[in-house]
Amino acid sequence: MEPAQPADRVPADRTPPDGQPPADVPAGRGGEPAATAPTTRPPVVAAKSERSPKDMAISLLVLLVPIALLLAFYRGFLGGDQATTVDPAPAIEQARSANVFPVSQPQGLGSDWTTVSARYQTVEGGANLRLGYLTPEGRGVQLLQSSVPADRLLPAELTSQGQPQGPTELAGRTWQLYTARGNQQALVLLEPTRTVIVVGDARDNELRELAGSLR
């Protein structure tokens, strides 16, 4: 048991000697103050979005209304859903003037057949006249007349998988029915100075109508 301390005793001076850490600070091995753990900051809580689902829906509606109005104007007044019609006459005349092969053109097709492309061009091994059509059922068909040799033309136009399926008579001419790329089929007319191909994803009756109209 320690003896009682006098009431007037002054607490011992805790000031350390020069170069020594305070007595209540833990010291390292070399006498330097030991590193203390860094103070951890409290996590920052993200502010809660004050926008309600109703506000977001209104903002989205504000964006969609002008888009819908522009789309309606494009379709209703500018004919946005209608195919662009071209005049095939210049390309046909150019092919005839070149006099590389005899040129035929469709005769008697209904007004619901739309010409959407027409181009004559010289290529390696000959020349091509291409006319593109949109059928009454809205399908695409291409009429190609070419002086390129058939053994080069057919693989290029119908792919190497194109195979003859048998002959068919149209307007007094014997055509060959061929398979083509994807779901397309073709009618091919082989002549000494040209090859004619009618190819597309149209139905068989529309392909025959176009092929049979050539004059």
PDB file of all heavy atoms in Angstrom, residues 71-84 114 116 134 138:
ATOM      1  N   LEU A  71     -41.895  13.729 -88.271  1.00  0.00           N
ATOM      2  CA  LEU A  71     -42.107  12.482 -89.001  1.00  0.00           C
ATOM      3  C   LEU A  71     -43.416  12.523 -89.778  1.00  0.00           C
ATOM      4  O   LEU A  71     -43.489  12.083 -90.937  1.00  0.00           O
ATOM      5  CB  LEU A  71     -42.094  11.309 -88.024  1.00  0.00           C
ATOM      6  CG  LEU A  71     -41.979   9.909 -88.622  1.00  0.00           C
ATOM      7  CD1 LEU A  71     -40.710   9.778 -89.449  1.00  0.00           C
ATOM      8  CD2 LEU A  71     -41.993   8.864 -87.528  1.00  0.00           C
ATOM      9  N   ALA A  72     -44.454  13.055 -89.156  1.00  0.00           N
ATOM     10  CA  ALA A  72     -45.743  13.153 -89.833  1.00  0.00           C
ATOM     11  C   ALA A  72     -45.657  14.096 -91.027  1.00  0.00           C
ATOM     12  O   ALA A  72     -46.226  13.835 -92.095  1.00  0.00           O
ATOM     13  CB  ALA A  72     -46.804  13.642 -88.848  1.00  0.00           C
ATOM     14  N   PHE A  73     -44.927  15.202 -90.880  1.00  0.00           N
ATOM     15  CA  PHE A  73     -44.761  16.136 -91.995  1.00  0.00           C
ATOM     16  C   PHE A  73     -43.988  15.486 -93.137  1.00  0.00           C
ATOM     17  O   PHE A  73     -44.325  15.644 -94.317  1.00  0.00           O
ATOM     18  CB  PHE A  73     -44.025  17.385 -91.506  1.00  0.00           C
ATOM     19  CG  PHE A  73     -43.728  18.372 -92.596  1.00  0.00           C
ATOM     20  CD1 PHE A  73     -44.712  19.223 -93.080  1.00  0.00           C
ATOM     21  CD2 PHE A  73     -42.450  18.453 -93.139  1.00  0.00           C
ATOM     22  CE1 PHE A  73     -44.431  20.132 -94.093  1.00  0.00           C
ATOM     23  CE2 PHE A  73     -42.169  19.352 -94.161  1.00  0.00           C
ATOM     24  CZ  PHE A  73     -43.156  20.198 -94.634  1.00  0.00           C
ATOM     25  N   TYR A  74     -42.934  14.730 -92.784  1.00  0.00           N
ATOM     26  CA  TYR A  74     -42.105  14.064 -93.808  1.00  0.00           C
ATOM     27  C   TYR A  74     -42.924  13.062 -94.608  1.00  0.00           C
ATOM     28  O   TYR A  74     -42.833  13.001 -95.829  1.00  0.00           O
ATOM     29  CB  TYR A  74     -40.927  13.369 -93.111  1.00  0.00           C
ATOM     30  CG  TYR A  74     -40.066  12.531 -94.022  1.00  0.00           C
ATOM     31  CD1 TYR A  74     -39.231  13.121 -94.973  1.00  0.00           C
ATOM     32  CD2 TYR A  74     -40.094  11.142 -93.931  1.00  0.00           C
ATOM     33  CE1 TYR A  74     -38.443  12.348 -95.803  1.00  0.00           C
ATOM     34  CE2 TYR A  74     -39.305  10.366 -94.761  1.00  0.00           C
ATOM     35  CZ  TYR A  74     -38.473  10.981 -95.694  1.00  0.00           C
ATOM     36  OH  TYR A  74     -37.700  10.206 -96.509  1.00  0.00           O
ATOM     37  N   ARG A  75     -43.751  12.293 -93.902  1.00  0.00           N
ATOM     38  CA  ARG A  75     -44.555  11.276 -94.584  1.00  0.00           C
ATOM     39  C   ARG A  75     -45.747  11.881 -95.328  1.00  0.00           C
ATOM     40  O   ARG A  75     -46.063  11.501 -96.448  1.00  0.00           O
ATOM     41  CB  ARG A  75     -45.053  10.247 -93.566  1.00  0.00           C
ATOM     42  CG  ARG A  75     -43.954   9.339 -93.030  1.00  0.00           C
ATOM     43  CD  ARG A  75     -44.507   8.325 -92.062  1.00  0.00           C
ATOM     44  NE  ARG A  75     -43.494   7.372 -91.649  1.00  0.00           N
ATOM     45  CZ  ARG A  75     -43.712   6.384 -90.782  1.00  0.00           C
ATOM     46  NH1 ARG A  75     -44.920   6.248 -90.238  1.00  0.00           N
ATOM     47  NH2 ARG A  75     -42.746   5.551 -90.457  1.00  0.00           N
ATOM     48  N   GLY A  76     -46.411  12.831 -94.708  1.00  0.00           N
ATOM     49  CA  GLY A  76     -47.639  13.350 -95.289  1.00  0.00           C
ATOM     50  C   GLY A  76     -47.430  14.338 -96.419  1.00  0.00           C
ATOM     51  O   GLY A  76     -48.179  14.340 -97.397  1.00  0.00           O
ATOM     52  N   PHE A  77     -46.400  15.199 -96.298  1.00  0.00           N
ATOM     53  CA  PHE A  77     -46.220  16.261 -97.280  1.00  0.00           C
ATOM     54  C   PHE A  77     -45.043  16.042 -98.219  1.00  0.00           C
ATOM     55  O   PHE A  77     -45.039  16.536 -99.340  1.00  0.00           O
ATOM     56  CB  PHE A  77     -46.045  17.610 -96.557  1.00  0.00           C
ATOM     57  CG  PHE A  77     -47.268  18.045 -95.808  1.00  0.00           C
ATOM     58  CD1 PHE A  77     -47.415  17.741 -94.458  1.00  0.00           C
ATOM     59  CD2 PHE A  77     -48.276  18.750 -96.435  1.00  0.00           C
ATOM     60  CE1 PHE A  77     -48.539  18.137 -93.765  1.00  0.00           C
ATOM     61  CE2 PHE A  77     -49.406  19.145 -95.741  1.00  0.00           C
ATOM     62  CZ  PHE A  77     -49.544  18.833 -94.398  1.00  0.00           C
ATOM     63  N   LEU A  78     -44.016  15.305 -97.757  1.00  0.00           N
ATOM     64  CA  LEU A  78     -42.839  15.078 -98.593  1.00  0.00           C
ATOM     65  C   LEU A  78     -42.796  13.697 -99.205  1.00  0.00           C
ATOM     66  O   LEU A  78     -41.854  13.363 -99.917  1.00  0.00           O
ATOM     67  CB  LEU A  78     -41.559  15.315 -97.757  1.00  0.00           C
ATOM     68  CG  LEU A  78     -41.417  16.698 -97.133  1.00  0.00           C
ATOM     69  CD1 LEU A  78     -40.094  16.807 -96.394  1.00  0.00           C
ATOM     70  CD2 LEU A  78     -41.501  17.789 -98.204  1.00  0.00           C
ATOM     71  N   GLY A  79     -43.787  12.856 -98.910  1.00  0.00           N
ATOM     72  CA  GLY A  79     -43.822  11.514 -99.496  1.00  0.00           C
ATOM     73  C   GLY A  79     -42.699  10.638 -99.020  1.00  0.00           C
ATOM     74  O   GLY A  79     -42.068   9.937 -99.820  1.00  0.00           O
ATOM     75  N   GLY A  80     -42.406  10.659 -97.735  1.00  0.00           N
ATOM     76  CA  GLY A  80     -41.271   9.925 -97.202  1.00  0.00           C
ATOM     77  C   GLY A  80     -41.345   8.422 -97.384  1.00  0.00           C
ATOM     78  O   GLY A  80     -40.325   7.755 -97.437  1.00  0.00           O
ATOM     79  N   ASP A  81     -42.538   7.856 -97.477  1.00  0.00           N
ATOM     80  CA  ASP A  81     -42.680   6.410 -97.615  1.00  0.00           C
ATOM     81  C   ASP A  81     -42.760   5.966 -99.073  1.00  0.00           C
ATOM     82  O   ASP A  81     -42.874   4.783 -99.361  1.00  0.00           O
ATOM     83  CB  ASP A  81     -43.938   5.929 -96.876  1.00  0.00           C
ATOM     84  CG  ASP A  81     -43.746   5.985 -95.367  1.00  0.00           C
ATOM     85  OD1 ASP A  81     -42.583   6.005 -94.942  1.00  0.00           O
ATOM     86  OD2 ASP A  81     -44.760   6.020 -94.650  1.00  0.00           O
ATOM     87  N   GLN A  82     -42.733   6.900 -99.986  1.00  0.00           N
ATOM     88  CA  GLN A  82     -42.867   6.562-101.394  1.00  0.00           C
ATOM     89  C   GLN A  82     -41.492   6.380-102.031  1.00  0.00           C
ATOM     90  O   GLN A  82     -40.540   7.103-101.719  1.00  0.00           O
ATOM     91  CB  GLN A  82     -43.640   7.654-102.132  1.00  0.00           C
ATOM     92  CG  GLN A  82     -45.060   7.864-101.605  1.00  0.00           C
ATOM     93  CD  GLN A  82     -45.754   9.012-102.300  1.00  0.00           C
ATOM     94  OE1 GLN A  82     -45.178   9.645-103.180  1.00  0.00           O
ATOM     95  NE2 GLN A  82     -46.972   9.281-101.899  1.00  0.00           N
ATOM     96  N   ALA A  83     -41.391   5.376-102.937  1.00  0.00           N
ATOM     97  CA  ALA A  83     -40.142   5.138-103.639  1.00  0.00           C
ATOM     98  C   ALA A  83     -39.878   6.276-104.624  1.00  0.00           C
ATOM     99  O   ALA A  83     -40.804   6.828-105.223  1.00  0.00           O
ATOM    100  CB  ALA A  83     -40.206   3.807-104.371  1.00  0.00           C
ATOM    101  N   THR A  84     -38.596   6.614-104.780  1.00  0.00           N
ATOM    102  CA  THR A  84     -38.224   7.649-105.730  1.00  0.00           C
ATOM    103  C   THR A  84     -38.290   7.091-107.147  1.00  0.00           C
ATOM    104  O   THR A  84     -37.666   6.081-107.468  1.00  0.00           O
ATOM    105  CB  THR A  84     -36.800   8.152-105.442  1.00  0.00           C
ATOM    106  OG1 THR A  84     -36.742   8.650-104.102  1.00  0.00           O
ATOM    107  CG2 THR A  84     -36.410   9.252-106.402  1.00  0.00           C
ATOM    108  N   THR A 114     -42.997   0.577-110.586  1.00  0.00           N
ATOM    109  CA  THR A 114     -42.242   1.820-110.427  1.00  0.00           C
ATOM    110  C   THR A 114     -40.776   1.589-110.785  1.00  0.00           C
ATOM    111  O   THR A 114     -40.138   0.685-110.245  1.00  0.00           O
ATOM    112  CB  THR A 114     -42.330   2.334-108.976  1.00  0.00           C
ATOM    113  OG1 THR A 114     -43.708   2.466-108.611  1.00  0.00           O
ATOM    114  CG2 THR A 114     -41.630   3.669-108.830  1.00  0.00           C
ATOM    115  N   VAL A 116     -37.148   2.511-110.265  1.00  0.00           N
ATOM    116  CA  VAL A 116     -36.429   3.165-109.168  1.00  0.00           C
ATOM    117  C   VAL A 116     -34.949   3.377-109.475  1.00  0.00           C
ATOM    118  O   VAL A 116     -34.264   4.101-108.748  1.00  0.00           O
ATOM    119  CB  VAL A 116     -36.586   2.365-107.863  1.00  0.00           C
ATOM    120  CG1 VAL A 116     -38.027   2.366-107.398  1.00  0.00           C
ATOM    121  CG2 VAL A 116     -36.085   0.934-108.023  1.00  0.00           C
ATOM    122  N   LEU A 134     -39.783  -1.526-108.645  1.00  0.00           N
ATOM    123  CA  LEU A 134     -40.569  -1.893-107.478  1.00  0.00           C
ATOM    124  C   LEU A 134     -41.872  -2.473-107.999  1.00  0.00           C
ATOM    125  O   LEU A 134     -42.596  -1.811-108.751  1.00  0.00           O
ATOM    126  CB  LEU A 134     -40.831  -0.679-106.585  1.00  0.00           C
ATOM    127  CG  LEU A 134     -41.284  -0.945-105.150  1.00  0.00           C
ATOM    128  CD1 LEU A 134     -40.204  -1.681-104.383  1.00  0.00           C
ATOM    129  CD2 LEU A 134     -41.633   0.368-104.452  1.00  0.00           C
ATOM    130  N   GLY A 138     -44.701  -4.412-103.959  1.00  0.00           N
ATOM    131  CA  GLY A 138     -43.683  -3.716-103.183  1.00  0.00           C
ATOM    132  C   GLY A 138     -42.361  -4.448-103.072  1.00  0.00           C
ATOM    133  O   GLY A 138     -41.571  -4.158-102.178  1.00  0.00           O
TER     134      GLY A 138
END
